[in-house]
Amino acid sequence: MEAGPTSPDSNAEKRFSTNSYHYWHNHEKDKAAAGDVAPKATPQLVGTSVEAVVKPTRNITKYSFADGKKAVKVYVDLPGVGAAPDTVRVEFGEASFDMRVRGEAEDQRLCIPELKEAILPTDSSFVVKPDSVVISLVKKELTSWFELKKSKP
């Protein structure tokens, strides 16, 4: 029996002819096997950048101090600071201290670059309480402090 235009074999030929989807789909596989298709490009890193997020820093202007015989205590009210005590850092110098508190929206800072008298930085310390920070400045010489900051001449 000869295949005529309406035979099942002629329908198959029309379905898989060169203009059909199956032809192009299979054609790509044949090209890839023959090496005619360009290889896929491997992704290459163009560059990276790390941007530091700069948060605003608010200077602390309200604090109090008490003069003791061997140490001066500085009291700073900071509501809720005790919930995250690791956010408080204090650096002591020979006659200075710098307290920084990291916050979510902004940082806070109390810096006294020139204290009235010299202190012992290695013996000075700070304690974080629920709503305040107490800084203990150990005096180098046992003198009375009437001011925390050095007076400007």
Side-chain angles (χ1 to χ4, degrees):
M1 176 178 231
E2 285 185 29
T6 58
S7 71
D9 291 336
S10 68
N11 286 338
E13 284 179 25
K14 284 182 184 177
R15 258 194 328 209
F16 299 116
S17 67
T18 58
N19 292 330
S20 71
Y21 165 79
H22 297 285
Y23 171 79
W24 285 107
H25 184 69
N26 290 331
H27 182 69
E28 290 298 320
K29 288 181 185 176
D30 294 339
K31 274 190 170 182
D36 289 343
V37 179
K40 290 185 179 180
T42 56
Q44 293 184 3
L45 181 63
V46 175
T48 61
S49 66
V50 177
E51 295 180 23
V53 177
V54 179
K55 292 189 286 186
T57 300
R58 183 173 52 89
N59 287 328
I60 298 171
T61 56
K62 291 187 177 185
Y63 58 90
S64 61
F65 79 97
D67 183 28
K69 186 175 183 178
K70 295 181 181 181
V72 175
K73 298 215 183 235
V74 180
Y75 301 93
V76 183
D77 289 332
L78 295 168
V81 74
D86 58 327
T87 61
V88 179
R89 183 176 52 116
V90 181
E91 294 178 6
F92 300 98
E94 294 293 322
S96 65
F97 76 90
D98 185 5
M99 179 187 77
R100 294 175 187 256
V101 181
R102 286 188 325 259
E104 289 182 25
E106 68 178 0
D107 293 345
Q108 298 180 57
R109 181 180 187 201
L110 173 60
C111 181
I112 309 292
E114 292 185 70
L115 292 167
K116 176 73 175 161
E117 301 289 337
I119 62 171
L120 299 172
T122 56
D123 296 338
S124 298
S125 61
F126 69 98
V127 176
V128 179
K129 298 197 172 192
D131 290 321
S132 65
V133 176
V134 180
I135 303 168
S136 180
L137 306 170
V138 178
K139 297 177 182 179
K140 191 171 188 175
E141 296 177 13
L142 302 178
T143 60
S144 295
W145 289 28
F146 298 106
E147 299 174 302
L148 185 62
K149 296 180 182 182
K150 191 172 204 172
S151 298
K152 294 181 181 179

